[in-house]
Amino acid sequence: MAAGEERELVDVASAIAASAAALLRELAEEDVTEFERLEGPAAALPSATPTAPTTPRSPRSPRSPVTRVAAMVPGTRGPISWNGDRPTLEEVRTELGDCQRCGLHEGRSKIVFGDGHANAGLMFIGEGPGEHEDRQGLPFVGRAGELLTQMIEKGIGLPRRDVYICNIVKCRPPRNRNPLPPEVSACRPFLDGQIRAVAPRVIVTLGKPAASLLLDREVAITRLRGSWQEYQGIPLMPTLHPAYLLRKYTPENRRAVWQDLQAAFERAGA
Ligand code: URA
């Protein structure tokens, strides 16, 4: 084996080990003690179909003078760029294309870009698509998604279409494992593009991975939730992931998430 290949293999193995260690820490933090056994090989899935970009329903605020924004994307296609420091969601989606920048594209059915209002005051960020999301090309449409939709519609009284919802990674990780660092890095410019495009007044991160990514440190979500943070000048409210809430549907957890969403809603003046 060539030295370069060996180094690459070591890098991948270290990334997997780091991800496994992070997952174990997260599970311990969430008191998970049992796993459901998954049967059968991961399905071979057809190639991606891009989802239609969301159409803005209200006029955008005036754009600042056109500047060239570029970020290096690890992988195949070199620097990405769009015009302006506030791209549209369509521009970000177009740049993403039929993405093959990381290995997640191999198992996906559809890219799950995002869903909701292009100028939403509230933006929710989860971890990555699951099985239902991968099939439909929309974020948070499975069981956890139903709970999130209820939390938004019944809890804070906003139609789901009035907020914007997306994930750290846009393709489903196999067997819903945590996305690996290279996968997160490959998708990061597009998440940042979405944040710039929507320019929400408040970001709500769902669960530990999204909060840890945007705050650039590993957080203990059960301790951090409910406390205001900031991402690039935007107030950020970390809360529990709806999938965690489904597993631990206690009055305390429900109250905690309800309080977090109320605080986010009030601050966004949504
Ligand atoms: N969990 C997530 O983090 N995102 C989804 O879209 C669905 C489930």
Side-chain angles (χ1 to χ4, degrees), residues 115-145:
D115 182 34
H117 200 301
N119 297 128
L122 267 178
M123 181 167 185
F124 290 81
I125 302 176
E127 182 179 346
E131 185 187 353
H132 295 276
E133 291 76 18
D134 174 73
R135 242 188 271 134
Q136 295 186 40
L138 289 169
F140 283 100
V141 288
R143 273 186 75 223

Side-chain angles (χ1 to χ4, degrees), residues 57 116-122 152-153 157-164 270:
R57 298 188 313 152
H117 200 301
N119 297 128
L122 267 178
I152 294 166
E153 302 209 325
L158 270 182
R160 174 178 156 136
R161 65 173 180 276
D162 283 0
V163 304
Y164 190 77

